[in-house]
């Protein structure tokens, strides 16, 4: 084996060790985070983002409002979420997204959206709706891409700076 191949193999071993250490830390935090989160909220799932980051998904559900939250296992839980989706039950067939908040471009919103759709199916809620409002228009293209990626129909009136989204579980 030449020196270059040996160095590459050592580098690969080092990268693998670093990756395993990272996973071990995330699993340790996941266990502790779940214990703390479960004291106040309903733990819905353990999931992974598209970037292979482990997250805990949890919810606070009242009669007409749902808040889905997500906490990364890369950090210890200190009572705060990293991303949240707030929704209101409008009637037996419709849930309306009030807000999606949190860190961007980490896949957190996608994880929360998939869980919202799953919960809607479990509760026999056929429609998920939402509005795009004036404050959204500085990033409306990104929002349109996000909702379309999650199978929502998106209607936007750029002139009036208003839009509507709808997901139909048919």
């Amino acid at each position: 084996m030449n020196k270059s191949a040996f160095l590459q193999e050592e580098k690969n071993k080092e990268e693998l060790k670093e990756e395993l250490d990272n996973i071990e830390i995330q699993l340790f935090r996941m266990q502790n985070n779940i214990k703390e989160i479960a004291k106040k909220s309903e733990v819905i799932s353990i999931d992974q983002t598209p970037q292979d980051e482990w997250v805990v998904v949890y919810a606070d559900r009242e009669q007409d409002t749902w808040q889905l939250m997500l906490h990364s296992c890369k950090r210890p839980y200190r009572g705060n979420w990293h991303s949240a989706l707030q929704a209101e039950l409008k009637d037996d067939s419709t849930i309306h997204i009030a807000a999606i908040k949190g860190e961007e471009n980490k896949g957190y919103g996608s994880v929360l959206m998939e869980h919202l759709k799953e919960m809607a199916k479990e509760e026999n809620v056929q429609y998920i709706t939402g509005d795009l409002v004036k404050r959204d228009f500085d990033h409306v293209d990104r929002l349109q891409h996000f909702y379309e990626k999650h199978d929502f129909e998106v209607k936007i009136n750029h002139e009036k700076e208003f839009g509507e989204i709808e997901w139909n579980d048919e």
Side-chain angles (χ1 to χ4, degrees):
M1 177 184 296
N2 67 30
K3 186 176 180 179
S4 176
F6 176 77
L7 291 174
Q8 184 62 40
E9 189 175 313
E10 287 300 309
K11 182 180 175 188
N12 290 344
K13 285 179 185 177
E14 188 67 31
E15 287 173 352
L16 186 57
K17 183 182 180 331
E18 190 176 309
E19 189 176 321
L20 289 173
D21 287 347
N22 182 27
I23 290 171
E24 186 177 4
I25 290 167
Q26 285 191 66
L27 289 174
F28 174 76
R29 283 200 180 121
M30 181 189 304
Q31 182 180 21
N32 290 326
N33 290 349
I34 288 172
K35 284 179 189 176
E36 291 304 311
I37 290 168
K39 290 177 183 177
K40 297 179 183 176
S41 300
E42 172 189 1
V43 175
I44 301 294
S45 176
I46 306 300
D47 212 331
Q48 264 186 310
T49 67
Q51 294 84 10
D52 295 327
E53 182 178 342
W54 287 99
V55 295
V56 178
V57 179
Y58 55 106
D60 289 339
R61 289 195 262 187
E62 295 179 15
Q63 187 172 0
D64 294 333
T65 59
W66 293 357
Q67 177 158 297
L68 288 177
M69 296 155 286
L70 175 150
H71 185 82
S72 169
C73 293
K74 286 189 171 186
R75 294 170 260 178
Y77 179 74
R78 303 270 190 253
N80 298 321
W81 43 260
H82 291 114
S83 191
L85 188 156
Q86 298 163 333
E88 300 169 358
L89 288 170
K90 291 295 183 185
D91 55 47
D92 290 343
S93 65
T94 305
I95 188 161
H96 188 82
I97 296 172
I100 301 175
K101 302 174 182 176
E103 297 180 35
E104 297 175 2
N105 301 319
K106 292 186 173 262
Y108 296 165
S110 289
V111 170
L112 290 172
M113 185 60 71
E114 288 304 317
H115 285 283
L116 178 67
K117 290 175 6 184
E118 207 172 281
M119 289 169 66
K121 289 176 184 179
E122 288 171 5
E123 299 288 330
N124 293 317
V125 173
Q126 184 175 358
Y127 301 100
I128 300 174
T129 62
D131 298 318
L132 301 175
V133 295
K134 191 171 187 161
R135 72 172 178 269
D136 295 326
F137 272 75
D138 64 338
H139 58 282
V140 73
D141 292 340
R142 198 179 88 223
L143 288 173
Q144 181 174 1
H145 172 76
F146 173 80
Y147 286 117
E148 287 176 348
K149 176 173 74 171
H150 291 284
D151 302 319
F152 280 76
E153 182 181 332
V154 180
K155 297 176 186 169
I156 298 175
N157 183 327
H158 289 276
E159 214 172 87
K160 293 184 179 180
E161 293 186 329
F162 181 79
E164 296 175 324
I165 60 163
E166 182 180 286
W167 175 82
N168 186 346
D169 182 30
E170 290 185 329

